[in-house]
Amino acid sequence: MDFKRHLEQQQLSEYTIKTHINKLKLYKEKYGNVGYDLDSILKNIDKEPTISTRKSLAGSISKYLQYKGKDTKKIADYIFKQTSDFQADKNKRTAETKHELPTLKNIKAELNTLYERQDYRSFIILFLMLNYQVRNKDLICLVVSSKRETNSTDNFIIVGKSQATYVRNDYKTAFKYGTKTNIIKNAKFMYAINQIGYVLKPNDNVDRIIKKATAGLGGITEGTIAKIVLSEHNTMNGLKKVSKNRGTDPVTLIESYNIT
């Protein structure tokens, strides 16, 4: 499998695929073959004139090394640290946007409001988006009482006496990361999940239902919630946690959400 095919299997846009291929070509023209010596690679990337071009090139080289089956943690760390240099400029560019976006405290307050209103489906949706940064597709999910009622292709919440097991087989990057399982013991979640037989169905108007669930927060999307969580848990450990929950590599998170 060539690099382009590898990128296509990750369901990246044509523009993103083209960008990664062009960046790889640019690196080879300037510095020769990529190789596997990460210190040498990062030394070369550091020669780029701006932080923006360094981050972009590092992201593409990371994708290439992943294709080659190599560990890219050092590059992820490099990109994460590079973004700190953007802080002053980012504060100016995003001050107005941050003012308009809800905080984690706002989202948690809205969760309580939905629970008190007995809008249990909306409560479950917002709970899962907040705590596991899930995408819309992950919320197409049946509620069952036994593992025997599950299969290996769909999403389920298996409800026990004191905890629920959230199993995701069908999500955007399942082909890469496999089944994801989370144990949930939150008392309000346990009560709410017992009031519904499913979270969302495949034929539901998913966007409309999620906008209803987040109406009290301005109708924000799952992507915005993930960005808020990343912004308020702005550490490498926070990044890794969202990466694991969402099924997205850290480099992509840094590039997509422009966090520092």
Side-chain angles (χ1 to χ4, degrees), residues 79-144:
I79 296 173
F80 186 80
K81 290 174 183 176
Q82 282 282 307
T83 59
S84 63
D85 293 336
F86 273 130
Q87 191 61 55
D89 181 56
K90 180 187 173 184
N91 285 343
K92 293 178 183 178
R93 289 184 288 109
T94 63
E96 188 173 314
T97 301
K98 280 190 172 183
H99 178 71
E100 294 174 354
L101 287 178
T103 63
L104 286 182
K105 184 177 180 180
N106 297 146
I107 298 174
K108 291 174 182 178
E110 180 64 14
L111 266 178
N112 288 330
T113 298
L114 292 171
Y115 186 84
E116 290 166 4
R117 195 187 298 157
Q118 298 182 15
D119 186 352
Y120 296 123
R121 179 160 286 106
S122 293
F123 171 86
I124 294 296
I125 289 169
L126 187 56
F127 182 97
L128 295 175
M129 290 196 296
L130 173 62
N131 289 283
Y132 303 106
Q133 300 83 51
V134 296
R135 300 178 181 88
N136 292 2
K137 186 177 184 180
D138 305 40
L139 296 167
I140 298 174
C141 178
L142 284 175
V143 178
V144 299

Side-chain angles (χ1 to χ4, degrees), residues 18-253:
K18 185 177 179 180
T19 297
H20 285 314
I21 291 173
N22 287 341
K23 290 291 183 182
L24 178 63
K25 181 180 178 182
L26 175 67
Y27 181 96
K28 289 180 176 179
E29 288 174 352
K30 285 187 172 184
Y31 308 115
N33 289 332
V34 176
Y36 302 132
D37 184 344
L38 292 183
D39 290 331
S40 295
I41 291 170
L42 293 176
K43 185 177 180 180
N44 288 333
I45 292 173
D46 254 344
K47 297 174 184 176
E48 292 297 304
T50 68
I51 296 173
S52 179
T53 55
R54 290 197 290 272
K55 286 176 61 182
S56 178
L57 184 57
S60 295
I61 296 301
S62 176
K63 289 290 186 186
Y64 179 72
L65 291 175
Q66 287 174 16
Y67 157 66
K68 289 293 188 178
K70 302 300 179 181
D71 182 13
T72 59
K73 180 183 179 300
K74 187 175 286 189
I75 294 183
D77 291 344
Y78 172 85
I79 296 173
F80 186 80
K81 290 174 183 176
Q82 282 282 307
T83 59
S84 63
D85 293 336
F86 273 130
Q87 191 61 55
D89 181 56
K90 180 187 173 184
N91 285 343
K92 293 178 183 178
R93 289 184 288 109
T94 63
E96 188 173 314
T97 301
K98 280 190 172 183
H99 178 71
E100 294 174 354
L101 287 178
T103 63
L104 286 182
K105 184 177 180 180
N106 297 146
I107 298 174
K108 291 174 182 178
E110 180 64 14
L111 266 178
N112 288 330
T113 298
L114 292 171
Y115 186 84
E116 290 166 4
R117 195 187 298 157
Q118 298 182 15
D119 186 352
Y120 296 123
R121 179 160 286 106
S122 293
F123 171 86
I124 294 296
I125 289 169
L126 187 56
F127 182 97
L128 295 175
M129 290 196 296
L130 173 62
N131 289 283
Y132 303 106
Q133 300 83 51
V134 296
R135 300 178 181 88
N136 292 2
K137 186 177 184 180
D138 305 40
L139 296 167
I140 298 174
C141 178
L142 284 175
V143 178
V144 299
S145 58
S146 169
K147 188 176 180 180
R148 291 190 299 272
E149 300 174 71
T150 69
N151 57 49
S152 60
T153 58
D154 299 313
N155 301 328
F156 299 91
I157 296 178
I158 307 168
V159 181
K161 284 186 177 181
S162 59
Q163 68 180 37
T165 306
Y166 181 30
V167 180
R168 284 178 282 162
N169 295 302
D170 186 18
Y171 63 99
K172 184 178 179 181
T173 53
F175 68 93
K176 182 175 181 179
Y177 295 102
T179 299
K180 287 194 170 294
T181 303
N182 299 97
I183 303 299
I184 305 171
K185 298 182 179 181
N186 179 274
K188 289 183 178 179
F189 182 93
M190 290 302 297
Y191 182 84
I193 200 67
N194 275 292
Q195 312 309 309
I196 60 176
Y198 63 93
V199 182
L200 293 176
K201 292 181 177 179
N203 59 350
D204 280 340
N205 187 329
V206 174
D207 289 340
R208 180 180 61 80
I209 294 172
I210 289 176
K211 282 183 179 179
K212 174 181 176 291
T214 63
L217 299 164
I220 57 176
T221 64
E222 47 84 12
T224 300
I225 291 175
K227 181 174 183 176
I228 292 167
V229 172
L230 282 166
S231 294
E232 297 202 25
H233 292 287
N234 188 14
T235 64
M236 202 62 195
N237 285 337
L239 179 69
K240 289 176 181 177
K241 184 176 180 180
V242 174
S243 170
K244 182 178 180 181
N245 282 341
R246 196 166 170 83
T248 306
D249 71 82
V251 170
T252 299
L253 284 176

